[in-house]
Amino acid sequence: MSVHSVTISVDTFDWTEIRAANHLAVDILKMGAKNKRKHAQEDVVKKDAKQTKMQEKTKGKIYKFYNCQLLRDHKLVKDNLYVRDGVIINPEKLFFEEKLPPDEQIDCKGAIICPGFIDIQINGAFGVDFSCDVDTIEEGLKIVAKGLLPHGVTSFCPTIISSKEDIYRKIVPKIKKVDGNKEGAGILGAHVEGPFISVEKKGAHPEENLRQFPNGFSDLIDLYGNLDNVAMITIAPELDRSDEVIKELVKRGISVSLGHTTANLVQGEDAIRAGASCITHLFNAMVSFHHRDPHLIGLLTSKFLTDRQVYYGLISDGVHTHPAAVRMAFRSNPRGFIVVTDAIPAMGLPIGKHHMGSQLVEIQDKKAFIAGTNTLCGSIATIPKCVQNLKKNTDCTTEQALDAATLHPAEVLKITDRKGTMDFDTDADFLMLDENLNVMATYIAGEQVWHQDWHPAASLLSRQMSKRVECEESAIKNNF
């Protein structure tokens, strides 16, 4: 967009001429913005048409992935993978009932194929803050969804930390549950972490935003509004009426996690019996293990919960949790381990200070702190790195490390009918990994959406340049 210059005679100083110049400049800016929106709409229409054409072209096509190791039923097996219309299909039915050969065969060159990674706790990334960027949250979700593809994340839960009521009312409705595609990872729903948590264990959550629920479940509705877009909620189980709140959330299909809490073991067991199924970032923002009362950490080995699986998110980034603690947790309850990043907006950004909600955080030495303190406020690690650390620090099998980032998060969200496994008739969201568990390619609905030769940093640079142009245009308008 270009702005035409208007010459104003200082000698005559004609106010009519000055006002005319102002009007002309504003009209030009408005016209530019209108054209920009028009072109953007046209681009969307063209992109949708291209996508539809591609879908029609590939509809019904059978893809065979061979020479690979598939993660199935907790084991890596040498087998072939068959995909049609975005779904993993049973080859026996294909050959013996339909009698159809594959339309295309892909040599995986010995790669590991596992389900796509699922991150159930991510506060933001690439400069986007899910708890703060109210006016640009929809654009921000797209940026993060796209940026996660190189890291093998095919689905995630945007996480909102303790915020004020108006923030929830504006942001939660915009976090729509959507399937992933080449434009980005799928969104499974929001993870609302707080504000019904302990003041003593608030961590990076602003104390003035914390709440209790003296009126029970109605207090949640009054604060959050509609819960249709919510997949998980973290609460402190020691709060009064927590059991009835947990039961109502579970009844509505929302997973409940326990965190930012001073709860003892008995209170934790009661919450699990009420329907809670997970612990938020184990070891962090909770009372430490004690031999007379292990508190929530004791849930990993509780003899009173043998009839149900207790899951726990753990930030195995090498910063939040000591390798010995990771080993202790994993060996106590390997089946419940869930790899989470707890990533903050600074993930993918350089060293320095960055905003997270109303907090100012500082990145230094691969760690994120509340600026001016020693309080950790989130991770800047990626899921693949956390998976690699888990395997390295616990000597677990490759299968166990991968299950912790795929199957287990899907189980806690109750979506294994479509995500988190390589079972027949589930979504063909999967990864190709090398023997060191580095991501070589990411597939969503059977379509390759990223491979290691791509350079996603270019999209981030493009976004930064776009923001710069917008600022310059705004400056021009303000000058007039």
Side-chain angles (χ1 to χ4, degrees), residues 176-359:
K176 306 290 187 183
K177 297 179 181 179
V178 296
D179 292 329
N181 52 45
K182 65 180 181 180
E183 298 303 322
I187 297 175
L188 300 171
H191 177 173
V192 183
E193 186 185 358
F196 301 99
I197 58 175
S198 166
V199 173
E200 291 84 353
K201 294 296 178 181
K202 66 182 185 299
H205 292 232
E207 184 172 339
E208 64 271 17
N209 293 341
L210 305 191
R211 299 279 194 95
Q212 296 194 22
F213 26 65
N215 301 308
F217 188 75
S218 62
D219 286 334
L220 269 77
I221 296 298
D222 290 342
L223 180 67
Y224 299 141
N226 193 298
L227 297 175
D228 290 348
N229 293 340
V230 176
M232 174 176 277
I233 291 181
T234 290
I235 67 170
E238 69 271 20
L239 299 182
D240 290 340
R241 306 188 70 170
S242 62
D243 283 3
E244 64 179 87
V245 169
I246 291 171
K247 289 176 182 177
E248 182 61 30
L249 287 170
V250 172
K251 189 167 72 173
R252 292 173 179 238
I254 297 172
S255 298
V256 178
S257 191
L258 311 177
H260 288 275
T261 171
T262 60
N264 57 39
L265 177 58
V266 173
Q267 290 170 320
E269 290 171 334
D270 288 342
I272 297 296
R273 291 192 193 95
S277 55
C278 191
I279 305 171
T280 297
H281 45 51
L282 187 73
F283 298 121
N284 291 276
M286 62 183 60
V287 181
S288 300
F289 180 91
H290 190 279
H291 61 282
R292 292 194 184 92
D293 186 348
H295 297 89
L296 285 196
I297 299 170
L299 292 175
L300 273 62
T301 58
S302 173
K303 70 176 184 179
F304 299 110
L305 302 173
T306 55
D307 61 331
R308 62 195 70 198
Q309 177 62 58
V310 177
Y311 296 92
Y312 56 97
L314 198 148
I315 312 168
S316 54
D317 61 352
V319 175
H320 281 72
T321 314
H322 192 279
V326 176
R327 283 192 294 275
M328 183 178 73
F330 181 82
R331 292 174 184 175
S332 298
N333 190 340
R335 192 63 183 78
F337 198 112
I338 296 178
V339 170
V340 297
T341 61
D342 196 20
I344 63 173
M347 189 191 96
L349 297 182
I351 291 173
K353 293 181 179 179
H354 308 276
H355 285 282
M356 176 179 167
S358 58
Q359 298 279 3

Side-chain angles (χ1 to χ4, degrees), residues 40-50:
Q41 291 171 349
E42 291 174 349
D43 288 343
V44 170
V45 172
K46 290 178 181 177
K47 185 180 292 184
D48 290 343
K50 185 177 180 181

